Amino acid sequence: MNVPFCRVDCSANELKYIQEVLASGWLTTASKTFEFEKRFGAAVGGKHAIAVNSCTAALHLALEAIGIGPGDEVLVPTLTFTATAEVVRYLGADLVFVDIEYGTGLLTPEIVEHALQIHPGIKAVVVVHFGGQAANMPAILDVCRPRGVRVVEDAAHAFPTRCGGRMIGSWGDITCFSFYANKTITTGEGGMLVSSDEALAKRARVMRLHGIDRDIWNRFTASSPSWEYDVVAPGFKYNLPDLAAAVGLAQLERAYEFRDQRQAVAQRYLADLAGLPGVDLPRIACALEDHSWHFFWLVLQPEARLSRDAFIEGLIAREIGFSVHYKPLHRMTYYRDRYLLRPADFPNAERHWRGCVSLPLYPGMTDAELDYVVRAVRELLSPA
Ligand SMILES: Cc1ncc(COP(=O)(O)O)c(C=O)c1O
């Protein structure tokens, strides 16, 4: 048997909505994108939703909108994908990397508070909802808001995710989602910036499209069409085309169906892989229903039967897909050398990284596939 790491399900209205776009004769940003924005914003409880062509673009626009620039410092956890950090450098600002909580992979209010005490100049914090479980947003906001520190959420993994009874997307100053091919819902490539702050949303909307004060659709189709437009800043080309939004709309309709199926897989892993010696499972600090279950990882401790790398070899031999989330950024040449980062300063991320492997997890994973993976993992990691 061959079990992929992820498998996309585009079997419902995706094709129908794409055909509608093709028939309309207008392929780039237009009514499908606006509908996707409206529905996604409503789904996460954010007043303004701005569709873009990646979460990386959303993060860039978010930090630009809050005024991050050269000389500023932005706090980012080391256990994340490089996109979370690289956007800070796009703007000429600098990074302050911090460790995460072992078990959840998340920032905690204590970690944030400690970093803000040591680096009082930090202007913004980027919170990553690692793997789809929310960080403690109310408590992190309580640490940041009195100090005037802005909070941007990297929710690339976290749709639909809830925290304290509210959706991720309704907490921080700006929240950024990803619809990359392997995410919980996808548009192939795509993202969404969500904010309830009028001024931030306006800036992001303008900067999404060249710094032009009206977007393309308005220019050509508003009730008083105007050929004239102004450029207020050297903006970017980050808009999401309708072809992609068509897929997003169809995916959004099934977001909770997908989430429930992901949860069922994760629950099997939690139940069937518990108690293997030297194997840590993720710590779930929220209700299972509040988690989007983007990925599920194991951490192999030194006393586990196999090293992480040997375990991966075992998965490859059995044709089981896997991933590693993540080699922390303090280990990446660019960040390590620029900020003189040392592994010893990030003990929790190090412990996670040295043993972490993510297992196959996708909606529509069959019982036979799940049985096969569980059996293989148990075989590889049970005492001889
Ligand atoms: C935590 C995190 N942030 C940001 C991104 C970037 O997302 P995108 O590929 O949509 O730009 C990713 C992508 O995997 C991610 O995992």
Side-chain angles (χ1 to χ4, degrees), residues 1 264-265 268 364-375:
M1 186 180 274
V265 175
R268 268 288 309 272
M365 193 169 174
T366 65
D367 284 344
E369 289 172 327
L370 197 42
D371 289 344
Y372 181 70
V373 177
V374 165
R375 210 171 328 114

Side-chain angles (χ1 to χ4, degrees), residues 4 24 33 43 59 66 88 93 111 119 140-141 162 176 196 231 246 254 267 280-281 288 290 307 319 346 362 364:
S24 80
T33 303
L59 289 163
I66 64 177
V88 174
I111 293 171
H119 303 272
I140 290 176
L141 289 171
R162 255 192 319 251
C176 303
S196 291
V231 172
R254 300 180 69 196
Q267 280 183 275
D280 289 349
L281 301 182
L288 297 182
D290 288 352
S307 70
E319 298 192 61
F346 305 94
Y362 45 87

